[in-house]
Amino acid sequence: MPDTRSPLPRIGDHALPNRLILAPMAGVTDRPFRQLCRRLGAGLVVGEMVTSDPSLWHTRKSRLRMNHRGEPGPRAVQIASGDAEMLAEAARLNAEMGAEIIDINMGCPAKKVCNKAAGSALLRDEALVAEILETVVAAVRVPVTLKIRTGWCAESNNGVRIARLAEAAGIQALSVHGRHRQQRFTGQAEYDTIAEIKAAVGIPVFANGDIDSPEKAAAVLDYTGADAVMVGRGAQGNPWIFREIDHYLRHGERLAPPTDEERAAVLRDHLKALHDFYGEHMGVRIARKHVGWYLAGDTRLTAERQREHKATFNGLQSAAAQHRFIDDCFRHAPLEAAAPKREGMTSKGTRAA
């Protein structure tokens, strides 16, 4: 059935056009990918996590991560640190540079982040969480949001307490990944904690974790009562997932998948955007992971052919060669398209979530 809940979520003064958010992913949600996902239906996109130490912002990586030139609003920037004053200063500086939403990362499970008492490691210290949130909210006039996991480990699923602290501190929306930190990205996301959090607070709650199809998105929204879904790995190689979910929520039926012509056009546009944004040398390298994800979702190919194509593409050294590869891939339908095998696929026959 079509989604009849209303109104659509708001973050401060920003009304979202739908219930679909692109999750921040380090090394993935750069400006080219954010713009592509927005064009294909994401109602809000969040940039890659940025360090809160301004002394490191001069690096090429940080400058690129903070580049939102030409993007429509609201521009959301995610910051990370375990120091309240450093986070507050980073929030102020980002707001001065045009950030319209500041998102605080307390969900990243990476060792290099958690070892600095940042990311999901903060969930172990609720007093510090409260201090950070209150300090950052007081430092800026733009809305501040928070991304968390359900807790540090199975024995300390304190997501509900963290959510209440967030609401009390003035956080204006909360994204919850349905795994604790020690799970990282293994196993399956659980949505009971997200439902408990939604019932415990009055601010918008966004459900994250294993959202990889329109049906899954609708089921998670129904089960948790969340205001929106946040899609991460499910969008890798499949930016069309946003318009497909939006159509399903609005009309209760599946949207036709993209044609081969559209897939080819999107890949070409994405490649060009990467080459233009990073420069040819770096753009060629970064394109490899994105095209690898696209190939993993190409059901015209057997798993073996997907691996062969990926290896071939990874060996290409120029932008022109990468574009020729895409042209060749779609010039003729693969022979195995008539009877695709399913090894290496998920249960829905596309990509791993």
Side-chain angles (χ1 to χ4, degrees), residues 240 258-268 300 330:
W240 299 276
T259 64
D260 287 347
E261 290 76 16
E262 183 186 5
R263 286 175 59 82
V266 166
L267 262 70
R268 292 188 193 101
R300 304 174 309 154
F330 288 94

Side-chain angles (χ1 to χ4, degrees), residues 64-315:
L64 289 169
R65 286 190 172 188
M66 297 169 73
N67 187 330
H68 290 258
R69 192 176 302 118
E71 291 188 68
R75 292 178 295 280
V77 174
Q78 187 182 74
I79 56 177
S81 174
D83 183 276
E85 291 300 330
M86 183 176 287
L87 279 163
E89 179 64 10
R92 281 192 292 266
L93 292 172
N94 275 286
E96 289 174 5
M97 292 186 291
E100 296 168 282
I101 296 171
I102 299 294
D103 186 60
I104 301 174
N105 183 309
M106 293 189 185
C108 179
K111 282 186 179 180
K112 65 180 180 180
V113 175
C114 291
N115 286 345
K116 296 179 181 179
S120 54
L122 290 167
L123 301 177
R124 295 178 293 183
D125 189 339
E126 295 179 19
L128 179 56
V129 168
E131 178 190 353
I132 286 173
L133 299 182
E134 291 167 3
T135 303
V136 175
V137 168
V140 293
R141 303 183 70 174
V142 300
V144 180
T145 61
L146 174 66
K147 189 171 194 294
I148 65 171
R149 286 185 166 232
T150 57
W152 174 256
C153 62
E155 290 71 37
S156 63
N157 248 29
N158 59 343
V160 172
R161 293 198 301 276
I162 296 290
R164 288 182 172 137
L165 289 173
E167 183 174 36
I171 292 296
Q172 299 199 32
L174 180 67
S175 304
V176 186
H177 186 119
R179 289 179 172 87
H180 55 73
R181 186 271 170 177
Q182 292 190 357
Q183 285 180 277
R184 298 177 184 267
F185 295 101
T186 62
Q188 294 184 337
E190 59 92 0
Y191 306 108
D192 289 335
T193 304
I194 300 177
E196 292 171 11
I197 288 172
K198 176 58 186 173
V201 297
I203 58 177
V205 173
F206 309 142
N208 177 224
D210 297 349
I211 310 294
D212 60 358
S213 72
E215 292 83 359
K216 184 66 173 287
V220 170
L221 285 171
D222 287 343
Y223 186 80
T224 64
D227 301 277
V229 289
M230 177 174 274
V231 181
R233 289 173 293 159
Q236 293 174 356
N238 185 27
W240 299 276
I241 192 171
F242 295 102
R243 75 176 187 196
E244 291 173 353
I245 293 175
D246 189 44
H247 183 88
Y248 190 85
L249 293 178
R250 292 178 186 275
H251 304 288
E253 61 183 15
R254 271 270 190 171
L255 184 70
T259 64
D260 287 347
E261 290 76 16
E262 183 186 5
R263 286 175 59 82
V266 166
L267 262 70
R268 292 188 193 101
D269 288 348
H270 195 178
L271 276 181
K272 184 178 187 306
L274 289 170
H275 299 150
D276 290 347
F277 184 67
Y278 289 104
E280 180 167 4
H281 176 71
M282 191 173 177
V284 162
R285 295 174 59 191
I286 289 174
R288 291 169 184 162
K289 62 186 170 188
H290 286 281
V291 172
W293 291 324
Y294 283 113
L295 290 171
D298 192 339
T299 55
R300 304 174 309 154
L301 303 171
T302 64
E304 181 180 0
R305 289 289 284 167
Q306 289 171 4
R307 289 190 292 269
E308 290 172 355
H309 279 24
K310 182 177 179 180
T312 298
F313 189 85
N314 287 348

